[in-house]
Amino acid sequence: MVGCGLGGLGAAFCLTQAGHRVTVIESSSVIGEVGAGIQVSPNSSRLLRRWGLGTHLDDIAVKPEGIAFRRYDTGERVGFTKWGEVMERDYGAPYYHIHRADFHKLLYDLVSPRVTIMLGSTVVGCDPNSVSPSVTLESGKVMRADLIIGADGVKSYIQQVVSGGPNPAEPTGDAAYRATIPASVMVQDPELREFIEHPQMAGWMAPGRHLMAYPIVSLFEAVARVY
Ligand SMILES: Cc1cc2nc3c(=O)[nH]c(=O)nc-3n(C[C@H](O)[C@H](O)[C@H](O)COP(=O)(O)OP(=O)(O)OC[C@H]3O[C@@H](n4cnc5c(N)ncnc54)[C@H](O)[C@@H]3O)c2cc1C
């Protein structure tokens, strides 16, 4: 497995469940995830529950009550779809909001005892065609396996080897900015308090741009501490 992101860890876990021995090769020398929150929809959370992570998710993630769309200029709420228990009822598993680092750690703790993880190891060569496919690391070490999986992200080197050339993501001209705000600060603001007391996916729509916001920790405890 090349790549120890969310995709690589998920695939590695499934392969170990099927009885395979897995080595995960990761270029970063430290384990972690950059970014703020991630939304885990029921198609994912159903699997995560099956993998035994349901209780952990219930402990550290947030189940939003719904999704609300607002006007950017007035803040007027123009649309709302109820989620919460509706997700469980209609899709068989919850919708979660969670910090990316928490999510990655959850998967890492599940997977790491079952696989070999090589950090600080960048794949610079790959031979997918021989009887025994191999990857070459920056150190010069050659590693062979029955199957090589490229879980090395949007700029995947393995994908380039397999498809015969670069296949870069197309620039959209959009930029995404992410930030986190402490819940303890938000509950003290009369206008923001609602977003903590009633966790939701909140969207503000504007011409050519939009803003999405959602809580990513178990905020009831944070709120309780502040009250
Ligand atoms: C702004 C934004 C918001 C998003 N929001 C959501 C969301 O709410 N819900 C959702 O489900 N998805 C969301 N996504 C998509 C989701 O984040 C990605 O699909 C997912 O993180 C991809 O994981 P990955 O493991 O495939 O790749 P990555 O996380 O990119 O991991 C790839 C790993 O491979 C390693 N690597 C790369 N090259 C090599 C090499 N040559 N040798 C060794 N290691 C290598 C990297 O260091 C990295 O650790 C969002 C994406 C963006 C950009």
Side-chain angles (χ1 to χ4, degrees):
M1 183 74 57
V2 183
C4 192
L6 297 170
L9 286 172
F13 179 74
C14 292
L15 288 168
T16 60
Q17 291 297 93
H20 297 288
R21 276 192 305 128
V22 181
T23 299
V24 181
I25 304 169
E26 167 58 49
S27 60
S28 175
S29 53
V30 282
I31 276 300
E33 259 282 347
V34 290
I38 187 162
Q39 307 187 65
V40 182
S41 47
N43 52 333
S44 291
S45 63
R46 198 179 305 128
L47 292 176
L48 296 165
R49 270 188 172 176
R50 204 180 295 161
W51 299 353
L53 295 176
T55 317
H56 300 283
L57 281 166
D58 285 340
D59 285 347
I60 61 171
V62 177
K63 291 182 191 168
E65 293 176 5
I67 179 167
F69 288 101
R70 295 166 187 272
R71 290 185 59 86
Y72 76 104
D73 48 357
T74 62
E76 180 195 356
R77 199 171 88 167
V78 293
F80 182 76
T81 303
K82 195 167 161 41
W83 286 354
E85 68 275 12
V86 173
M87 287 290 167
E88 186 90 43
R89 188 193 69 205
D90 291 353
Y91 303 108
Y95 200 107
Y96 292 109
H97 289 156
I98 188 170
H99 196 290
R100 274 177 184 267
D102 290 343
F103 189 26
H104 191 269
K105 183 173 184 326
L106 211 58
L107 282 176
Y108 182 80
D109 289 348
L110 175 75
V111 176
S112 55
R114 304 160 196 260
V115 302
T116 303
I117 297 184
M118 297 172 59
L119 297 178
S121 305
T122 301
V123 170
V124 295
C126 176
D127 175 6
N129 296 318
S130 61
V131 180
S132 177
S134 66
V135 292
T136 305
L137 307 186
E138 208 170 29
S139 64
K141 183 175 180 172
V142 176
M143 299 185 65
R144 297 187 183 280
D146 297 329
L147 179 69
I148 296 165
I149 296 181
D152 48 345
V154 72
K155 296 176 183 162
S156 172
Y157 166 72
I158 300 295
Q159 177 264 313
Q160 287 186 41
V161 172
V162 171
S163 62
N167 181 20
E170 286 178 25
T172 60
D174 289 336
Y177 300 89
R178 291 186 279 185
T180 51
I181 305 170
S184 56
V185 173
M186 289 180 67
V187 287
Q188 295 185 50
D189 185 306
E191 285 189 304
L192 299 180
R193 187 187 189 97
E194 171 194 349
F195 299 104
I196 303 299
E197 291 178 334
H198 298 285
Q200 58 191 262
M201 162 56 88
W204 286 264
M205 302 176 293
R209 63 200 69 188
H210 68 276
L211 190 147
M212 305 299 292
Y214 53 89
I216 51 173
V217 289
S218 219
L219 293 172
F220 294 113
E221 285 168 38
V223 172
R225 274 203 301 276
V226 172
Y227 279 156

